[in-house]
Amino acid sequence: MKRILIMLIAFCLINIASATTRITCIGASITYGATLPDPAAQSYPAQLQKLLGKNYSVSNFGVSSATLLRKGDLSYWSTKAYQEALQSKPDVVFIDLGGNDAKLVNRVHLDEYEKDYHDLIQSFEQLPSRPRIVLLLPIPSFQTDTNQIYDKVIINSIIPKLRNAAYDEHLEVIDMHSMFVNHESWMPDKIHPNLDGTAMTAKRLYDVVVQPRDNNYDVFSSMNQQVKESNFYGYPCAEFTFDNRDCKVVKPKWAAKGHPWVWRARFWGHEPQTDIALLERGFHIVYCDVAELLGNNEAIGYWNDFYKMLTNAGLGKKAVLEGMSRGGVYIYNWAAANPDKVACTYADNALLDLKYWPDSAVLKKDFNLTSANQIGSLKVSPIDKVQQIVKGKFPMLHLSADDDEAVDPSKNTLLFEQKVKALGGSITVIHKPGFKHHPHSLPNPAPIVEFILKATGYEIPFPN
């Protein structure tokens, strides 16, 4: 009986051990935790361990000053930590290498960066544990010494090469660069994050690990469209013609449960940081070119057809609508006609009253006018359709540059805000003091992304 009990205990211990998810973090000094008072407890891998709890085992294989380049001044390939990482039987691998490759001494070898990254990735892909591999973009360097880790090199060379490698290998990428771009105060030596920075990194990686995924859904095959594939910042983009309109659909590396999506109204790829951040979280990004129809009935008809095709292909029944500048007219005119099909809106320096559209020839053509001055009496602008829009009971986010010289906020966003609130609608306006019409969005899109995640139910709270 005693022997049977011992065997049962051993069997349970084996099962518990096998149920532990092993996470391997490889990188340089930021992964190691350099400059922190207690790297063993305060590095982002250590904090990730605390967040994830006992069913996970997080290992830190960071080596200060290491490069991804084989020919770098301290190549990660030649370190003991690399060999230990390969032997760690990982289920998940986070790779955070590239900052030190931006030093002058290493830049001469950057033509080999993509190949070396491919080789590093494959060394982990070939492990018996077949781990999930996630690449981290280097965080910004705020150093002014161009011989050292220089941010322009990170932005213009390292990041594009890393995204290319991720596209070729079908791997996830986490944009740590945008997350830190407005947090110089969190980097006392201009390179290494303090405890606030490592805590933010750990929380972001926690979200990556725990978010529910649908790995089997493929929107491309479900659409039944003949597509040409291109590379959208490391993500597969299907380009095709639908209803004689140019369309695009970008799919994430894995789909979030429920298959959420963002519908970009205009200016494809302009200030894409919000779109990229949501792709990281399993959202799809779509586009149907109805320029320059200015949200008229013809445009709404094309979008209705596009919506039907996408939802029949498995995307969620409610879309996140994204409109920059005159894109605001498109999203809200469609929302007014389809209030039950909208999860939330993100409008950015948005035109909301066509009386202020400067091209009279386009107005007359799109709305069958003899004079552009007739547009106001037609009530075809979002500013005239607030009652229909608020019926959807969806939250709205607006970014508004206070000194916008192209789209007067007082006649568009601010007046729209007043009307929405008067009818009990939900609207949030983020003001950008001192900014003009450009640039749109925010360098760090976190406030926009957090709003959309909360509005759609995909926000992941801190663990208890």
Side-chain angles (χ1 to χ4, degrees):
M1 184 68 182
K2 184 177 180 181
R3 183 177 178 182
I4 293 173
L5 183 60
I6 291 172
M7 290 175 66
L8 284 172
I9 293 171
F11 179 77
C12 290
L13 290 174
I14 290 170
N15 279 338
I16 291 171
S18 64
T20 300
T21 300
R22 294 179 295 274
I23 298 176
T24 288
C25 299
I26 72 173
S29 55
I30 292 171
T31 302
Y32 171 75
T35 74
L36 294 167
D38 186 2
Q42 296 173 335
S43 65
Y44 73 75
Q47 294 191 61
L48 178 61
Q49 177 68 77
K50 292 176 186 175
L51 290 174
L52 289 170
K54 62 183 180 180
N55 292 329
Y56 294 82
S57 176
V58 183
S59 299
N60 187 340
F61 296 102
V63 178
S64 292
S65 300
T67 67
L68 181 134
L69 287 163
R70 282 189 169 98
K71 294 179 181 176
D73 58 344
L74 178 55
S75 175
Y76 193 81
W77 294 85
S78 63
T79 65
K80 181 181 178 183
Y82 171 54
Q83 298 303 322
E84 292 173 342
L86 288 173
Q87 295 166 15
S88 65
K89 300 179 181 178
D91 299 299
V92 181
V93 178
F94 288 110
I95 302 178
D96 183 12
L97 286 167
N100 291 310
D101 299 83
K103 293 178 181 177
L104 180 62
V105 68
N106 297 316
R107 290 174 213 160
V108 293
H109 306 300
L110 281 180
D111 286 347
E112 301 173 35
Y113 185 87
E114 275 189 53
K115 182 184 183 305
D116 287 352
Y117 218 134
H118 279 292
D119 291 346
L120 184 71
I121 290 165
Q122 288 166 13
S123 71
F124 284 96
E125 283 181 335
Q126 294 166 4
L127 294 175
S129 60
R130 298 295 182 190
R132 174 188 179 190
I133 301 172
V134 183
L135 314 183
L136 276 58
L137 298 188
I139 69 172
S141 168
F142 294 101
Q143 285 189 322
T144 56
D145 185 350
T146 59
N147 294 325
Q148 296 303 312
I149 301 174
Y150 191 36
D151 200 49
K152 285 187 177 180
V153 176
I154 291 175
I155 293 171
N156 297 324
S157 188
I158 299 291
I159 288 177
K161 293 177 187 296
L162 193 157
R163 288 199 184 279
N164 285 341
Y167 177 78
D168 293 340
E169 300 284 350
H170 310 288
L171 295 182
E172 302 164 64
V173 177
I174 306 301
D175 184 1
M176 304 304 300
H177 193 277
S178 292
M179 286 176 58
F180 276 89
V181 75
N182 62 330
H183 288 299
E184 183 177 353
S185 63
W186 288 2
M187 300 167 69
D189 67 352
K190 311 298 184 185
I191 303 172
H192 300 95
N194 62 12
L195 191 56
D196 289 326
T198 57
M200 180 172 70
T201 302
K203 175 56 169 62
R204 181 68 191 95
L205 301 192
Y206 170 84
D207 293 350
V208 172
V209 173
V210 304
Q211 183 176 351
R213 294 174 287 156
D214 183 350
N215 290 312
N216 297 317
Y217 176 65
D218 179 14
V219 69
F220 290 2
S221 60
S222 300
M223 290 189 303
N224 295 316
Q225 301 292 322
Q226 188 171 1
V227 306
K228 170 187 168 186
E229 187 174 316
S230 60
N231 182 344
F232 182 82
Y233 296 95
Y235 292 87
C237 175
E239 301 183 23
F240 57 99
T241 301
F242 181 78
D243 273 1
N244 295 315
R245 314 304 297 187
D246 291 332
C247 298
K248 303 177 193 292
V249 174
V250 184
K251 66 178 179 180
K253 300 304 171 68
W254 47 265
K257 298 286 188 180
H259 311 158
W261 51 297
V262 176
W263 196 335
R264 166 75 80 123
R266 288 287 280 112
F267 310 113
W268 177 254
H270 177 66
E271 297 290 346
Q273 47 269 40
T274 296
D275 297 344
I276 293 169
L278 290 167
L279 282 164
E280 290 178 10
R281 292 162 172 84
F283 282 62
H284 296 72
I285 312 296
V286 313
Y287 177 77
C288 177
D289 190 354
V290 288
E292 199 67 73
L293 298 177
L294 295 178
N296 66 4
N297 288 336
E298 185 181 1
I300 292 170
Y302 284 127
W303 272 28
N304 286 343
D305 292 344
F306 192 54
Y307 169 89
K308 184 177 180 181
M309 185 273 289
L310 292 174
T311 53
N312 285 343
L315 291 188
K317 298 300 182 184
K318 292 193 175 186
V320 176
L321 302 182
E322 177 184 18
M324 293 183 178
S325 194
R326 59 184 175 272
V329 174
Y330 294 82
I331 65 171
Y332 279 118
N333 277 2
W334 190 81
N338 299 276
D340 59 331
K341 298 172 183 172
V342 182
C344 66
T345 61
Y346 156 46
D348 197 310
N349 293 341
L351 177 69
L352 300 170
D353 192 339
L354 287 167
K355 292 198 302 288
Y356 305 108
W357 174 247
D359 193 332
S360 59
V362 171
L363 276 182
K364 289 192 288 186
K365 178 178 179 295
D366 287 348
F367 294 95
N368 299 313
L369 308 176
T370 56
S371 168
N373 293 332
Q374 295 173 295
I375 194 70
S377 61
L378 292 181
K379 305 298 181 186
V380 291
S381 300
I383 206 77
D384 305 313
K385 300 181 179 183
V386 175
Q387 190 167 11
Q388 298 100 298
I389 291 166
V390 298
K391 285 180 181 178
K393 298 182 179 179
F394 51 81
M396 302 170 238
L397 174 68
H398 282 241
L399 261 61
S400 180
D402 290 350
D403 295 336
D404 191 332
E405 79 291 0
V407 179
D408 186 340
S410 68
K411 297 174 180 176
N412 290 274
T413 292
L414 302 185
L415 180 57
F416 184 78
E417 177 189 23
Q418 291 174 13
K419 291 191 171 191
V420 169
K421 288 183 174 178
L423 292 173
S426 173
I427 185 169
T428 300
V429 177
I430 298 176
H431 290 268
K432 295 169 66 175
F435 279 83
K436 295 193 173 184
H437 192 65
H438 291 284
H440 290 286
S441 190
L442 301 168
N444 179 353
I448 306 167
V449 173
E450 289 165 6
F451 175 91
I452 292 171
L453 293 177
K454 183 176 181 180
T456 54
Y458 286 92
E459 186 181 39
I460 299 176
F462 269 105
N464 295 325

